[in-house]
Amino acid sequence: MSTQTSDLLAAAAPRTVDVVRGISDDQLDLPTPCRDYLVRDLLNHLFQVVVNFQELAEKRQVEWAEKPDHLGDGWRDRFEVETGRLVAAWSDPSTLEGVSPGMGLPQSVIGGMALLDLTVHGWDLAVATGQPYHPAPEAVAELHALVEQLGPNARKMGVFADPPATITESPTPDLAHLLTQTGRTPTWPQTP
């Protein structure tokens, strides 16, 4: 990534935090663009990402199999705090050196994956709950190369779906391209 990962995370984080803060309790059971994930499931996943990628910045092993419920009292405030910790964890340039011992990928890719989840899942949660979402343009620009690099393997592993066959025009073509490369339909939900 040509821009420091922590700068990109710092630009992206408040936008996703705002979306999370805007989710009401009665929206937790709504569907999302992520197949098989309701809003509550996606929030718990994003919480786990934000917490685990703090550890990955320190080149520590993380546990992905555990699926804790992060949506207890004060979860919106806790998400903001943990997201701030994520940005701080990646602020030391040495976090980008070497290979992640747990994931076997360059640390720079790991940092990019945190940015990708924060950005794309911010959009997922926004469209699922009827909120506006304007991702950090500098984050979206940096993520195109990462998604192109990760795409083939991510599709094999089921992390990304295949890009939709037809793409409709979007007022934000950079974001639309990023979303389609991760298997999302930028106009979700589709109307029959």
Side-chain angles (χ1 to χ4, degrees):
M1 299 197 131
S2 61
T3 304
Q4 176 67 25
T5 299
S6 63
D7 293 341
L8 294 169
L9 286 167
R15 297 158 191 259
T16 300
V17 167
D18 286 348
V19 169
V20 168
R21 285 200 169 281
I23 297 171
S24 62
D25 289 344
D26 64 347
Q27 294 177 314
L28 295 176
D29 291 319
L30 294 176
T32 72
C34 296
R35 217 177 29 233
D36 303 325
Y37 277 73
L38 299 176
V39 168
R40 77 173 59 254
D41 304 322
L42 191 53
L43 281 167
N44 274 310
H45 168 71
L46 191 53
F47 250 110
Q48 186 176 29
V49 164
V50 166
V51 170
N52 281 357
F53 276 83
Q54 293 171 41
E55 295 298 310
L56 290 169
E58 300 296 325
K59 301 176 182 90
R60 295 187 193 118
Q61 298 272 357
V62 296
E63 180 55 57
W64 291 104
E66 293 179 20
K67 305 288 182 203
D69 184 0
H70 294 280
L71 304 185
D73 290 340
W75 59 268
R76 293 168 188 88
D77 291 334
R78 279 195 332 277
F79 181 79
E80 183 172 11
V81 168
E82 292 297 345
T83 303
R85 289 178 179 154
L86 174 70
V87 173
W90 287 91
S91 65
D92 181 345
S94 70
T95 60
L96 299 174
E97 297 170 2
V99 173
S100 170
M103 301 196 51
L105 294 169
Q107 280 290 111
S108 59
V109 171
I110 300 298
M113 290 168 64
L115 179 65
L116 180 64
D117 273 24
L118 201 60
T119 301
V120 173
H121 289 324
W123 177 84
D124 291 330
L125 290 167
V127 297
T129 59
Q131 297 183 63
Y133 181 67
H134 306 286
E138 60 270 44
V140 173
E142 288 285 336
L143 288 170
H144 286 291
L146 179 68
V147 169
E148 188 173 311
Q149 175 187 352
L150 296 177
N153 196 40
R155 286 184 195 91
K156 282 182 198 169
M157 296 174 59
V159 176
F160 294 171
D162 288 327
T166 57
I167 310 300
T168 56
E169 296 254 344
S170 169
T172 53
D174 276 355
L175 176 61
H177 179 71
L178 179 66
L179 296 171
T180 59
Q181 293 309 301
T182 64
R184 288 162 172 79
T185 302
T187 55
W188 189 92
Q190 292 286 31
T191 52

